[in-house]
Amino acid sequence: MNISYNWLKDYVNFDLSPEELSAALTSIGLETGGIEEVQTIKGGLNGLVIGKVLTCEDHPNSDHLHITTVDLGESEPVQIVCGAANVAAGQYVVVATLGTVLYSGEESFTIKKSKIRGVESFGMICAEDEIGIGTSHDGIIVLPGEVKPGTLAKDYYNIKSDYVLEVDITPNRIDAASHYGVARDLAAYLTQRGKDAGLHRPSVNDFAIDRKEGGIDVDVANHEACIRYSGVTMRNVKVAESPDWLKQRLSAIGLRPINNVVDITNYILHATGQPLHCFDLNRIAGGKVIVKPAVEGEKFVTLDEVERTLTSNDLMICNEKESMCIAGVFGGLKSGVTNDTTDIFLESACFNPTWVRKTARRQGLNTDSSFRFERGVDPNDTLYALKRAALLVKELAGGEICGEVVDIYPNPVAPFPVTLTYEKIDTLIGKHIPADTVKSILDSLEIKIVSETEKELSLQVPTYRVDVQRDVDVIEDLLRIYGYNHVEISDRVHSSLSYKTVTDQSHQFQNLVSEQLTGCGFNEIMNNSLTCGAYYDDLGWPRAHCVALLNPLSNDLNVMRQTLLFGGLESISHNINRRRANLRFYECGNCYYFDPEAHNEEKVLSGYSEEKHFALWQTGNRVEGSWAHADEKSSVYEMKAYVENIFARLGIAGDIIATQTSDEIYSVALTYSNRGGKILGKMGLVSHKILKRFDIDVEVSFAELNWDSLMKMAAKHTVLYSELPKFQAVKRDLALLVDQAVSFADIEKVARESERKLLKEVYLFDVYEGKNLPEGKKSYAVSFILQDENKTLNDKQIDAIMNKIIANLQQKLEAQLR
């Protein structure tokens, strides 16, 4: 939010520099992000002075130029060649001295010593448009009356620079979303430091009704959505350009002046924090304003000329025929003030924050009004803002206040009662603050002390502080005004024994695995959690299960990711396009899921879930450009090794079962699960269909693991240390004839289910497909490692185990021994 330095001085007395003001506001919780100098006239008329033309003669080599001598308040007059027809001796003029920079739009030029038709000139006598105070170029500026030569032009025209402070308002501090709100906090700060802040705001005591007749009626149909509605009718108003002071106030904070009436409503909004809306009275059909919910499916065109579809939960400001404005959010196209407007109706209301927030999100709108209503406008300030605006309209646009002021406020909001104890103040702050200081700060914050004892205070918090309704909230306010830096930090540390949480353990394992992969040549990447919803069309992750954004930055960032795959492919495509083709990436990040069937409107978060995943990508050559080794492409088998090494590092390798699968994501893949059947992740080659979307024409191996599930398994794993076995392992090989559809993973699964204790390892050492085999068959040569750590295995035990494995392979996979 932009705060004008000069505007702030309208409400509080201070002599702080802009930098000191920034530091003061930051210290009391209104963090200032930056300070920018703003000039009402570009260049601030620097280098321009008032001069008196002493002599004026015709130029000997020109029929339109003149040679003048001008008194600039220095010891000697200066000679200036001037081409204006109206220049004459005795005039008081504006002179740009040597070195002055003048601006014309975005361009600028510097006044230099020059020769014009052979005569030297030491400056320039200026016209209005040349210095930015007007648009006329008919001749030079001739000032009325006498002015002391040498007077600075910026002093003559009363040109003052302003400074705009970018104040970052936290969501709970909507009371400070205005110049008076910031002034109120600044006054409290100054008062506690012994300075007379003199907080004040313009009086509205002069407000009076000019005519009792001529007002219009208002009917509020929903008092839950409209807490208070105030309004006043004004007739015979003249819409015109705003005066300079008002335009300068608005321009300084980045608002474009429109006309005097609209500018007044914007001025009041940023002055007091109370949004106003102005209606053209002639467009209020039936002469009556009705505040009611919209009709379901109703079409409404807003000021930005966009047709919007409304719901029955959108509050509207209507006349007897149609809707005119979305309450608290945005005006309609047909009801606003134009240059032809003569009669107006000023609205100053307080709308329910929840209604406004939901409407603004549904319609994709974010306005200055909705920003304030969503966070809580003070319902007890609507009349002041209304009267202040009406008085300004009379001052700047004329007109009469007609009819009684409308003020519908059926359930007045009272100040918030809070009981505060001195003991709790000292306990939370960690320092004793004297009672007199506490009461002084409360008074400067306009928090009323209703009653008090030696131990506690009974308070009434003003309604504009919607975030202060508990004793801890009051203590927070006391501390920020007292000063965080005034609370000394003790040299004693009170600590307790800490313990490792689930998050700590996950972070530790993540570091271990990351170090392992980095040692294998991988690089860590971090991608945006926002991604393109179109990636999920016609894939294994349904688009309907994406967590969609209500107000996406773009169509490329409109959903939360369900998988880490696409972010990595974007990174691979980016690198390949820059001739970095040999890539190994890993990433650990959250993925998000929405289940429409589990969603419940009453429970906002139902149906939404979040999981942490760990993913790996590999593409390009494993070895390239080595004198000792021929170039070699990376393979999916390497990826399998990396994944299984992760399981080993976590200590859960023995509890993982791999099954060969394929789907729309992978052309060939392994699915990893625990012995209970819960899927832990997948690994394989990414399908060509997906790679084509990213313009990738090389193989990419990809693995994605459910990190949360792996952590649950790792948490149950106890690391045991034992001596190396003293008894020899036994190896048995089998040549198996199996169907083409049978994978090695199927064989390994059957073998491990047959013998869980003594079977230590199963690996494939040969595959044969070709002649001398039945059609549709292939041959696997598989080794089985058996070992008993307590004794030597005898032939009888070995044969029993192998016979059981063979029998199960024959029964479950129809395998045959060759």
Side-chain angles (χ1 to χ4, degrees):
M1 183 186 70
N2 290 334
I3 293 295
S4 162
Y5 180 84
N6 291 339
W7 194 344
L8 203 59
K9 285 193 169 184
D10 290 348
Y11 307 116
V12 62
N13 303 324
F14 64 91
D15 56 2
L16 303 174
S17 67
E19 291 74 18
E20 291 171 333
L21 175 61
S22 171
L25 294 179
T26 299
S27 72
I28 57 176
L30 303 179
E31 184 177 356
T32 304
I35 305 172
E36 180 183 359
E37 184 177 1
V38 177
Q39 297 171 325
T40 54
I41 295 178
K42 193 168 184 178
L45 301 187
N46 291 327
L48 296 167
V49 298
I50 306 301
K52 181 179 181 180
V53 180
L54 301 178
T55 63
C56 179
E57 299 176 356
D58 292 338
H59 194 294
N61 300 321
S62 172
D63 57 359
H64 69 280
L65 296 176
H66 304 85
I67 301 173
T68 66
T69 55
V70 184
D71 180 8
L72 298 181
E74 299 175 350
S75 57
E76 296 291 334
V78 298
Q79 177 175 284
I80 299 175
V81 176
C82 178
N86 64 329
V87 64
Q91 295 174 337
Y92 290 90
V93 294
V94 179
V95 177
T97 57
L98 297 180
T100 300
V101 179
L102 298 181
Y103 298 88
S104 177
E106 296 300 321
E107 298 181 357
S108 64
F109 64 96
T110 303
I111 302 299
K112 300 178 181 178
K113 176 183 174 182
S114 60
K115 273 191 176 183
I116 303 177
R117 299 283 179 94
V119 177
E120 288 187 326
S121 180
F122 299 89
M124 185 176 84
I125 304 176
C126 302
E128 284 185 358
D129 64 331
E130 291 170 332
I131 63 174
I133 65 169
T135 58
S136 173
H137 195 70
D138 295 337
I140 61 169
I141 302 169
V142 179
L143 303 178
E146 295 186 3
V147 183
K148 182 180 178 181
T151 300
L152 298 179
K154 63 181 179 181
D155 292 338
Y156 179 83
Y157 286 106
N158 196 28
I159 300 298
K160 295 181 179 179
S161 291
D162 196 0
Y163 295 89
V164 175
L165 288 79
E166 184 183 347
V167 179
D168 297 328
I169 302 296
T170 53
N172 65 310
R173 290 302 312 279
I174 194 60
D175 63 289
S178 66
H179 282 77
Y180 185 72
V182 173
R184 195 162 43 201
D185 260 20
L186 179 61
Y189 168 87
L190 295 172
T191 300
Q192 295 310 309
R193 283 147 186 81
K195 298 181 180 180
D196 182 15
L199 179 68
H200 59 278
R201 64 177 181 175
S203 171
V204 293
N205 293 334
D206 293 338
F207 179 87
I209 297 171
D210 298 310
R211 281 196 289 139
K212 291 186 178 181
E213 66 280 356
I216 64 171
D217 295 330
V218 174
D219 179 25
V220 177
N222 189 319
H223 294 293
E224 177 199 355
C226 181
I227 300 169
R228 185 176 189 179
Y229 193 92
S230 306
V232 68
T233 304
M234 300 190 70
R235 297 183 182 272
N236 302 318
V237 171
K238 185 178 180 181
V239 177
E241 186 179 355
S242 296
D244 289 341
W245 71 266
L246 179 54
K247 290 191 291 185
Q248 290 170 9
R249 283 281 190 261
L250 297 179
S251 297
I253 60 173
L255 295 180
R256 180 177 63 87
I258 298 173
N259 59 55
N260 49 6
V261 174
V262 174
D263 291 348
I264 287 169
T265 62
N266 287 329
Y267 174 79
I268 295 298
L269 167 66
H270 290 275
T272 68
Q274 171 63 48
L276 302 178
H277 193 74
C278 187
F279 297 95
D280 187 331
L281 200 62
N282 294 326
R283 298 188 179 187
I284 303 178
K288 185 176 183 179
V289 171
I290 304 169
V291 185
K292 63 180 182 180
V295 177
E296 187 71 33
E298 177 184 347
K299 304 295 183 181
F300 182 70
V301 181
T302 45
L303 278 171
D304 55 0
E305 300 183 3
V306 174
E307 183 179 77
R308 304 180 186 275
T309 302
L310 306 176
T311 73
S312 58
N313 293 319
D314 296 325
L315 189 67
M316 305 298 294
I317 312 298
C318 313
N319 57 40
E320 290 192 338
K321 291 185 178 180
E322 60 185 353
S323 297
M324 300 185 295
C325 173
I326 303 177
V329 181
F330 210 22
L333 183 62
K334 299 180 180 179
S335 63
V337 172
T338 66
N339 291 335
D340 299 326
T341 299
T342 56
D343 304 328
I344 62 172
F345 178 74
L346 278 174
E347 168 195 282
S348 178
C350 178
F351 300 111
N352 187 301
T354 303
W355 278 67
V356 174
R357 185 181 303 114
K358 288 183 176 180
T359 294
R361 296 300 174 271
R362 271 194 299 270
Q363 303 299 336
L365 292 169
N366 183 22
T367 62
D368 285 338
S369 294
S370 68
F371 176 84
R372 287 160 176 80
F373 281 125
E374 287 177 27
R375 289 157 177 80
V377 167
D378 182 10
N380 294 320
D381 204 38
T382 60
L383 274 183
Y384 172 83
L386 181 68
K387 291 178 179 180
R388 175 76 176 125
L391 289 173
L392 280 174
V393 171
K394 285 192 68 174
E395 177 186 342
L396 304 182
E400 300 174 301
I401 300 174
C402 301
E404 296 295 329
V405 173
V406 176
D407 188 25
I408 303 174
Y409 194 17
N411 303 304
V413 178
F416 310 116
V418 174
T419 299
L420 181 65
T421 64
Y422 291 112
E423 181 183 3
K424 192 162 187 179
I425 295 173
D426 294 347
T427 300
L428 287 186
I429 292 179
K431 177 181 180 179
H432 174 69
I433 299 180
D436 290 342
T437 303
V438 170
K439 289 188 279 189
S440 174
I441 295 175
L442 291 174
D443 181 64
S444 64
L445 289 172
E446 301 182 0
I447 298 176
K448 184 179 179 182
I449 301 175
V450 180
S451 63
E452 62 178 299
T453 65
E454 290 184 1
K455 295 184 177 181
E456 67 178 29
L457 300 170
S458 295
L459 310 174
Q460 284 187 346
V461 180
T463 51
Y464 63 77
R465 287 307 304 273
V466 294
D467 63 316
V468 180
Q469 300 186 21
R470 306 170 298 168
D471 55 355
V472 290
D473 300 326
V474 176
I475 294 172
E476 181 185 2
D477 263 13
L478 287 171
L479 180 56
R480 67 185 183 84
I481 299 301
Y482 178 75
Y484 296 102
N485 293 335
H486 293 162
V487 179
E488 298 82 4
I489 299 176
S490 172
D491 56 2
R492 291 187 60 190
V493 177
H494 301 277
S495 62
S496 59
L497 294 175
S498 62
Y499 64 96
K500 185 178 292 185
T501 66
V502 174
T503 302
D504 296 329
Q505 187 177 32
S506 173
H507 185 67
Q508 180 184 3
F509 278 126
Q510 185 180 330
N511 282 339
L512 289 174
V513 173
S514 296
E515 290 171 359
Q516 177 177 305
L517 291 172
T518 301
C520 294
F522 280 77
N523 290 299
E524 183 176 11
I525 59 174
M526 296 180 66
N527 288 297
N528 199 334
S529 294
L530 303 179
T531 187
C532 178
Y535 288 161
Y536 296 89
D537 293 336
D538 304 322
L539 287 181
W541 297 282
R543 175 72 175 270
H545 290 204
C546 289
V547 178
L549 302 187
L550 291 177
N551 298 307
L553 297 174
S554 68
N555 287 332
D556 291 333
L557 299 171
N558 58 357
V559 299
M560 305 290 282
R561 63 188 178 190
Q562 288 189 58
T563 173
L564 302 179
L565 171 62
F566 302 122
L569 292 181
E570 288 176 349
S571 299
I572 289 174
S573 176
H574 180 86
N575 279 273
I576 289 176
N577 289 338
R578 286 155 181 79
R579 299 187 179 182
R580 296 293 298 269
N582 304 325
L583 305 168
R584 290 188 182 95
F585 293 146
Y586 70 89
E587 179 180 12
C588 190
N590 290 340
C591 294
Y592 309 86
Y593 183 81
F594 174 63
D595 184 356
E597 295 181 0
H599 185 59
N600 187 332
E601 288 291 342
E602 295 180 358
K603 297 180 180 180
V604 180
L605 296 180
S606 61
Y608 293 93
S609 59
E610 178 181 349
E611 293 179 336
K612 178 171 280 190
H613 287 193
F614 199 101
L616 299 86
W617 296 261
Q618 180 180 249
T619 187
N621 289 339
R622 187 175 75 87
V623 179
E624 185 177 73
S626 172
W627 65 270
H629 197 294
D631 291 357
E632 181 181 342
K633 288 186 177 181
S634 59
S635 72
V636 71
Y637 300 106
E638 288 179 64
M639 180 61 76
K640 179 174 181 289
Y642 294 133
V643 172
E644 293 181 355
N645 284 339
I646 291 176
F647 296 151
R649 192 69 180 88
L650 298 177
I652 57 176
D655 298 321
I656 303 294
I657 298 173
T659 307
Q660 186 169 330
T661 57
S662 62
D663 52 32
E664 294 176 326
I665 309 302
Y666 299 93
S667 57
V668 59
L670 287 179
T671 297
Y672 294 100
S673 58
N674 60 18
R675 297 194 181 277
K678 180 178 176 60
I679 295 177
L680 304 174
K682 287 188 177 183
M683 181 281 303
L685 290 174
V686 180
S687 71
H688 178 70
K689 175 184 175 182
I690 293 178
L691 295 178
K692 189 175 180 181
R693 292 188 180 185
F694 294 86
D695 293 327
I696 300 174
D697 56 5
V698 293
E699 284 187 351
V700 175
S701 300
F702 171 67
E704 184 166 22
L705 308 174
N706 188 320
W707 187 255
D708 291 336
S709 297
L710 294 180
M711 289 301 99
K712 290 178 181 178
M713 292 183 65
K716 298 177 182 178
H717 174 71
T718 302
V719 178
L720 299 176
Y721 296 90
S722 60
E723 295 180 2
L724 292 173
K726 298 178 181 179
F727 303 98
Q728 187 71 26
V730 176
K731 177 183 175 186
R732 291 290 185 269
D733 298 335
L734 293 179
L736 301 171
L737 189 66
V738 296
D739 290 338
Q740 288 282 357
V742 175
S743 66
F744 168 70
D746 297 328
I747 294 173
E748 182 182 17
K749 181 180 179 182
V750 172
R752 291 193 179 279
E753 289 174 350
S754 302
E755 176 56 50
R756 297 180 183 274
K757 184 179 179 182
L758 301 180
L759 181 62
K760 300 300 182 182
E761 188 177 353
V762 182
Y763 62 87
L764 179 69
F765 65 88
D766 187 42
V767 179
Y768 176 72
E769 296 177 286
K771 58 184 179 179
N772 300 326
L773 290 181
E775 185 177 354
K777 297 289 185 178
K778 60 184 175 182
S779 175
Y780 276 163
V782 184
S783 289
F784 300 86
I785 307 298
L786 305 174
Q787 186 178 37
D788 189 332
E789 296 178 359
N790 299 314
K791 62 181 180 179
T792 302
L793 290 172
N794 56 44
D795 290 341
K796 185 177 179 181
Q797 289 175 298
I798 297 170
D799 291 342
I801 294 171
M802 293 306 299
N803 288 336
K804 184 178 179 181
I805 292 174
I806 292 170
N808 286 335
L809 288 172
Q810 291 174 340
Q811 179 184 351
K812 296 181 179 181
L813 302 179
E814 298 181 355
Q816 302 174 30
L817 289 177
R818 291 188 67 194

